[in-house]
Amino acid sequence: MRRPTHAFPETCGRHYRDVGATLAVPDMDSDRCPMVCLRTARAGELTAFAGRAGIVARILGA
């Protein structure tokens, strides 16, 4: 598969979704890009928890 580097995380997120997992990126306004892998059923919990901390968690491949 040939994809530009910036498209790779979104592509991975779509493939993770196929097996019941979610790939998310907490946007902490820094030069780092941590990624979180968790069960899709818990993605809402992650975004809510991040929101309470003042962070936006973006779900990849959604």
Side-chain angles (χ1 to χ4, degrees), residues 1-17:
M1 156 169 78
R2 293 187 182 268
R3 299 224 182 254
T5 303
H6 69 274
F8 182 71
E10 288 288 339
T11 302
C12 288
R14 283 193 295 278
H15 287 286
Y16 273 59
R17 197 176 54 210

Side-chain angles (χ1 to χ4, degrees), residues 2-59:
R2 293 187 182 268
R3 299 224 182 254
T5 303
H6 69 274
F8 182 71
E10 288 288 339
T11 302
C12 288
R14 283 193 295 278
H15 287 286
Y16 273 59
R17 197 176 54 210
D18 291 343
V19 296
T22 294
L23 191 60
V25 176
D27 184 2
M28 298 182 292
D29 197 27
S30 77
D31 58 349
R32 296 184 209 148
C33 185
M35 292 189 183
V36 179
C37 181
L38 65 153
R39 291 184 199 134
T40 298
R42 302 201 68 187
E45 292 177 51
L46 173 70
T47 55
F49 182 69
R52 286 193 301 269
I55 299 168
V56 174
R58 190 167 57 92
I59 304 299

